[in-house]
Amino acid sequence: MALQTKLAASSIYNRVLRQLPGELSMAFAYGSGVFEQKGQEDRSKNMLDFIVAVDNPLAWHKENIKQNSKHYSFLKFMGPRFTAHFQEQYGAGVYFNTLVPFENRLIKYGVISTYRLITDLLDWDTLYVSGRLHKPVLMIQEPETYELTAAIQTNLNSAVHTALLILPDVFTEEQLFHTISNLSYSGDFRMIIGEDKKKVENIVKPNMERFRQMYESILDSQEHLHWNKSQGNFEQYLSRVSQFHHLNLLPKTLLMRLVSHHNRDGRNRDTEEVIRSLAYGGNCSENVSSGVSSIVQKSSILQSSKTILTAGLLKSVRYGFSKLMKMYKSTQNT
């Protein structure tokens, strides 16, 4: 399960949620405003990032536009029905309100339907919110249903199977968690310009213990993997059998990308044929990495374009400038 921490009812995270309509199926906070990141001296200056899942986006936005009209861009004038439709049908299915003043902080919150969240967790159709849940998050409101809880666990299992297909036979704990964390950033155009080039390293290094807590039970149950916990390294038994095992457990969208890539010569191989071909010596690591990147690239471009409208032009410029400054400072500290 994604890392959870007991929160006092009076915490700023709960105070933020109390300002939003209460019909939530899950809510969590994430990012550099919540967890320590390498190179970040004062977290209190960072924006607090939230994701909230709702069963009925139309009803939720209708109420939130009444309560918190100033959080929205000009799109609020199109009405809650348009807002909910825009959320669901474009990009990664998330509607962000950003640079929202709250007490002495700035917050950003994304709204996603419970259905779209579960789909992304199980299938990796965008790897947008599911990718955030590969890393430690602060669960503010725990999942309401078993279906959502199970989907979160499946998402973590999928991350491990994917990372093991990418990694060599011997690797460290840090390399594993770096590979898992990087899944949702590989292919993201913002990593070229707009994001700190050391973003993944900065997330992983200060949070190794949190990653261990998240993934320990999954890693302990892997039959083709040996974990030397005292030395902090792994050895996996790379064979056709182990690769076939991991490939069979990949999310649907990633498998579809692998099949599509294999059939670009015009042939019509089915999923089983492609899995067998990759397991029996078809550059498995490179193909899996490429498949993940193709998912992330598409969703990152579409969601970023969408955010320009949901945030509005001025906020988009401010937000983009702050990202560029972070990237610049990182290059100066290299």
Side-chain angles (χ1 to χ4, degrees), residues 23-89:
E23 299 81 11
L24 307 178
S25 58
M26 189 178 87
F28 64 87
Y30 65 95
S32 60
V34 180
F35 293 111
E36 180 185 356
Q37 291 190 10
K38 186 180 176 185
Q40 297 284 331
E41 296 180 358
D42 186 0
R43 278 182 290 166
S44 67
K45 295 179 180 178
N46 294 337
M47 185 160 59
L48 291 174
D49 296 299
F50 298 81
I51 294 288
V52 298
V54 302
D55 290 338
N56 187 333
L58 173 57
W60 195 90
H61 281 294
K62 185 177 182 179
E63 186 62 29
N64 197 43
I65 289 172
K66 287 181 184 177
Q67 290 184 21
N68 300 299
S69 176
K70 291 182 179 180
H71 294 184
Y72 289 81
S73 70
F74 68 93
L75 291 181
K76 65 188 174 187
F77 298 114
M78 305 296 288
R81 188 172 300 278
F82 175 87
T83 303
H85 177 81
F86 191 62
Q87 173 190 312
E88 286 285 277
Q89 300 302 318

Side-chain angles (χ1 to χ4, degrees), residues 253-272:
T253 303
L254 180 52
L255 281 174
M256 289 171 59
R257 295 299 174 101
L258 293 175
V259 171
S260 177
H261 180 75
H262 248 61
N263 287 330
R264 70 191 187 282
D265 59 2
R267 295 175 64 181
N268 191 28
R269 304 174 187 86
D270 62 21
T271 303
E272 187 175 347

